[in-house]
Amino acid sequence: MSRSEELFKEALNVIPGGVNSPVRAFGSIGGAPRFIRNADGAYLYDEDGNQYVDFIGSWGPMILGHGRKEVLEAVLDACKRGLSFGAATQAEVEMAKLVCGLVPSIEMVRMVNSGTEAVMSAIRTARGYTRRDKILKFAGCYHGHSDGLLVKAGSGAMTSGIPDSLGVPAGITRDTLTASYNSLEDVRSHFNQCGEEIAAVIVEPVAANMGVVPPKPGFLEGLRELCDAYGALLIFDEVITGFRLGIDGAQGLYQITPDLTVFGKIIGGGMPVGAYGGRREIMELVAPSGGVYQAGTLSGNPVAMAAGIAQLTLLKERPEYYGALNQKAGRFFGRIQEIVADAGLPYQVNHVGSLGCLFFADGAVTDYPSAKSSNTKAFAAYCNDMIAHGVYLAPSQFEAMFLSIAHTDEILDAVLEIIGNYFTG
Ligand code: KE4
């Protein structure tokens, strides 16, 4: 029995499913999850000393690779001055100014401790601002596990086949409308029916929790127009895309201005950080300046701020990083598409910048139903083989591959060879 298997056995006794987040349990591909001891650059090392090229990167945060010295030094320095004060700090002002300076649609921002908490708070703020109750989301999009959003979620819920979660009262999801991603017609019909009751539309501007599904041309523009026409707010959930697709995320790439934006992952540099922000007139409603209550013991934690500030500052000062990363990723994902096509397989690669996904599907994947049509058994066999060959992929067809600055061309070429061997036998 490997050390990972031993640890998983122990973990199953004391942690639900043996993990602290469901997707980590390898449920949809089988076998024991690898217990990771340490990481460096593009690599993970498990408790048995196996090395992996990491395509999860902590589900997005590690865009600079693991162990980036500027981030580590900032964290260690902050630790020496104290781990947490529960009081205002200079670092929080610096982080807020950094985010407001980088994202034109944001005049004020509030730090929280996870993407879930940021989404939950942004929705409450949108409801407070509009005095309306309904929220419209998209099937296959995942916005964290707050009660009202666990309806046809992507990511973990989708993988475990539970379209809704136990424990979510019907009354909570009564005000959550669900439309089909990339279908403006669907959104329009919801607005025609109850547009005056819709507080906000929340969308992953590039869906990355049903695998990666880019917005069709005109889709995001259409959402903006419909929200304006009915007085609803447009919330961009940029927990994954924020500071990943470029320094100004998906809203910069697609030139759409949301009313509120949610961040997570990269903004924390690997530490637990979420954030939500937008126009001053909306954000000033958040307590204590307004009547929308939201609070958090560790919000703006100085060590987490140090990690986030160091990472965002590097991304801001090195804009060439994005060009190089996105170019390298385009080549990598393009090669994977060629490999499966040359093997006579219909599988589809979707990617935007350094986010990508290989769908074991028979045709284009443009929404939740087409993503769900993927052959998850074939994906599981592929994923297990990749992990056995030192390529650490998300253990689910409905997640993304995340590339980092640390994934050199040499590393990616070696991975492409392993993928090629798999499909050509
Ligand atoms: P967290 O609460 O996990 O920090 O963020 C929730 C969230 C919100 N919005 C989007 C677009 C997200 O992708 C997420 C979380 N992403 C998943 C990966 N698909 C986190 C991994 C996990 O659940 O363990």
Side-chain angles (χ1 to χ4, degrees), residues 97-380:
K97 285 164 71 176
L98 192 52
V99 172
C100 293
L102 290 173
V103 188
S105 68
I106 295 183
E107 294 178 318
M108 296 191 102
V109 63
R110 168 61 62 85
M111 293 292 137
V112 293
N113 301 279
S114 70
T116 294
E117 192 182 356
V119 167
M120 186 173 72
S121 310
I123 284 175
R124 186 180 307 135
T125 303
R127 285 171 161 155
Y129 179 78
T130 60
R131 304 299 171 97
R132 296 176 180 180
D133 294 341
K134 292 196 183 311
I135 294 291
L136 189 149
K137 75 172 292 285
F138 294 91
C141 286
Y142 177 67
H143 304 289
H145 63 88
S146 58
D147 280 351
L149 289 167
L150 286 177
V151 280
K152 288 200 183 86
S155 191
M158 184 175 185
T159 306
S160 52
I162 304 169
D164 292 331
S165 169
L166 291 178
V168 175
I172 299 269
T173 54
R174 182 190 58 220
D175 289 317
T176 308
L177 308 171
T178 302
S180 177
Y181 193 78
N182 273 327
S183 167
L184 279 176
E185 189 191 327
D186 218 5
V187 180
R188 208 169 280 117
S189 70
H190 279 296
F191 270 106
N192 290 340
Q193 278 167 31
C194 58
E196 309 305 330
E197 299 171 66
I198 296 177
V201 172
I202 184 165
V203 67
E204 289 184 66
V206 173
N209 284 285
M210 50 175 135
V212 176
V213 177
K216 279 182 179 168
F219 176 61
L220 298 176
E221 293 79 354
L223 296 183
R224 181 68 276 172
E225 284 160 23
L226 283 164
C227 285
D228 289 342
Y230 285 87
L233 298 187
L234 178 58
I235 303 175
F236 267 16
D237 179 342
E238 294 224 43
V239 166
I240 284 186
T241 56
F243 307 108
R244 167 146 305 266
L245 301 184
I247 198 66
D248 47 6
Q251 57 196 272
L253 179 65
Y254 296 105
Q255 287 297 296
I256 302 282
T257 303
D259 299 297
L260 289 171
T261 302
V262 177
F263 293 115
K265 299 180 194 279
I266 289 176
I267 197 173
M271 300 295 284
V273 177
Y276 63 107
R279 291 198 308 275
R280 185 180 307 281
E281 58 157 345
I282 302 173
M283 291 302 292
E284 280 188 331
L285 266 177
V286 178
S289 50
V292 175
Y293 193 71
Q294 182 264 306
T297 303
L298 292 171
S299 295
N301 170 271
V303 179
M305 292 299 99
I309 289 166
Q311 175 140 289
L312 292 190
T313 302
L314 276 168
L315 291 168
K316 175 186 173 186
E317 289 174 353
R318 313 274 176 87
E320 70 278 9
Y321 275 2
Y322 285 111
L325 176 59
N326 293 343
Q327 190 270 330
K328 183 164 51 173
R331 185 182 74 85
F332 177 71
F333 291 117
R335 279 289 303 124
I336 296 176
Q337 185 66 78
E338 287 167 8
I339 288 169
V340 295
D342 291 350
L345 295 164
Y347 301 154
Q348 302 286 315
V349 173
N350 283 356
H351 79 96
V352 180
S354 57
L355 267 183
C357 173
L358 171 59
F359 285 102
F360 284 64
D362 292 338
V365 177
T366 58
D367 57 17
Y368 180 74
S370 48
K372 272 188 81 174
S373 73
S374 303
N375 180 338
T376 51
K377 283 194 173 37
F379 172 82

Side-chain angles (χ1 to χ4, degrees), residues 84-92 296-302:
S84 181
F85 314 122
T89 61
Q90 176 274 336
E92 291 164 275
T297 303
L298 292 171
S299 295
N301 170 271

